[in-house]
Amino acid sequence: DVKVTQSSRYLVKRTGEKVFLECVQDMDHENMFWYRQDPGLGLRLIYFSYDVKMKEKGDIPEGYSVSREKKERFSLILESASTNQTSMYLCASTAYRGGNQPQHFGDGTRLSIL
Amino acid sequence: AQSVSQHNHHVILSEAASLELGCNYSYGGTVNLFWYVQYPGQHLQLLLKYFSGDPLVKGIKGFEAEFIKSKFSFNLRKPSVQWSDTAEYFCAVNNAGNNRKLIWGLGTSLAVNP
């Protein structure tokens, strides 16, 4: 069974801090994704990566960056946290064997920026 | 641009009632279609998917969905809901030409009263 592990369930940070959210998957998946989930807005894609050191912007990349140095790990970085980045952050992964492969999700990190 | 529309944002049912959640997408090419569910406090998980073959697909926990290509629809159904079906349901689509990214609906919150 695929396991996607996010480093923290809950995180509280202050405005202006640099914040790191970590995600690890154990199935050798090529593709990894970071979303944010807000009530009434569904899931919005921040960044995704389809290979080590490769990344593509999603729909809302402003204020975020990512790092993928190893295939199993995908990090989301808030360069200078702001209160409007308070949200639930979800990491997902999928194997690239055609688009019919489902995405597998972690439990999410609920991030509060004070 | 591709989009996914879920007709109902909030649905309240009594146990044993039948459920149908609407999902329409806008894309004229070949698509892969997914329904995901998020139970309270849990991670998003796949309910069912369609990518080819029989347009009526069956998923976990008694759910099914029907792909109607002429209507660009992929509605989710369950003949008799249970209290444990209380959750948020998301429809998602990708296309065969750019199949790394999923396009998500905004979700439908289902509450089942015992």
Side-chain angles (χ1 to χ4, degrees):
Chain A
D1 214 15
V2 179
K3 184 77 174 169
V4 179
T5 303
Q6 294 184 229
S7 52
S8 307
R9 288 297 301 270
Y10 301 94
L11 207 52
V12 180
K13 295 291 182 181
R14 297 203 174 275
T15 54
E17 280 193 70
K18 191 168 186 175
V19 181
F20 294 86
L21 304 183
E22 307 286 347
C23 175
V24 176
Q25 49 93 4
D26 66 356
M27 283 302 291
D28 202 36
H29 283 170
E30 288 83 0
N31 301 317
M32 296 188 75
F33 306 82
W34 275 106
Y35 294 93
R36 63 178 282 176
Q37 183 179 17
D38 299 287
L41 297 178
L43 274 72
R44 293 182 290 168
L45 182 64
I46 304 171
Y47 269 97
F48 69 101
S49 167
Y50 49 90
D51 203 350
V52 174
K53 297 191 186 295
M54 306 302 288
K55 61 184 180 185
E56 281 195 29
K57 292 180 180 178
D59 301 315
I60 52 163
E62 297 78 18
Y64 303 94
S65 62
V66 289
S67 171
R68 192 155 180 212
E69 297 296 319
K70 293 184 178 181
K71 193 173 185 181
E72 67 271 18
R73 186 180 295 272
F74 191 35
S75 303
L76 179 70
I77 302 151
L78 285 66
E79 298 290 343
S80 177
S82 64
T83 54
N84 63 12
Q85 292 177 309
T86 291
S87 186
M88 171 69 87
Y89 289 87
L90 302 179
C91 176
S93 73
T94 186
Y96 186 67
R97 298 188 205 110
N100 56 38
Q101 297 301 310
Q103 293 187 8
H104 299 268
F105 285 84
D107 288 335
T109 296
R110 187 165 293 283
L111 176 64
S112 296
I113 307 296
L114 305 179
Chain B
Q2 272 188 298
S3 65
V4 175
S5 174
Q6 292 185 235
H7 309 158
N8 313 97
H9 296 297
H10 300 282
V11 174
I12 302 173
L13 295 173
S14 299
E15 276 194 319
S18 64
L19 171 71
E20 181 159 1
L21 300 183
C23 174
N24 285 89
Y25 63 93
S26 64
Y27 181 69
T30 304
V31 292
N32 301 306
L33 299 146
F34 305 82
W35 275 99
Y36 284 82
V37 61
Q38 188 174 32
Y39 298 105
Q42 295 189 25
H43 62 269
L44 269 161
Q45 57 186 287
L46 182 71
L47 257 185
L48 47 78
K49 66 179 183 180
Y50 171 83
F51 57 93
S52 67
D54 189 342
L56 183 63
V57 293
K58 296 191 184 300
I60 61 172
K61 304 189 180 187
F63 285 91
E64 66 180 29
E66 185 176 13
F67 171 49
I68 304 179
K69 190 174 182 180
S70 61
K71 293 185 177 181
F72 299 90
S73 71
F74 190 54
N75 292 353
L76 181 70
R77 299 195 292 248
K78 186 171 184 178
S80 176
V81 294
Q82 300 173 313
W83 175 77
S84 58
D85 293 323
T86 294
E88 188 137 18
Y89 293 81
F90 294 92
C91 180
V93 175
N94 66 15
N95 70 66
N98 180 10
N99 54 19
R100 289 194 176 105
K101 282 177 60 173
L102 277 176
I103 308 301
W104 294 83
L106 295 184
T108 297
S109 175
L110 171 66
V112 180
N113 295 323

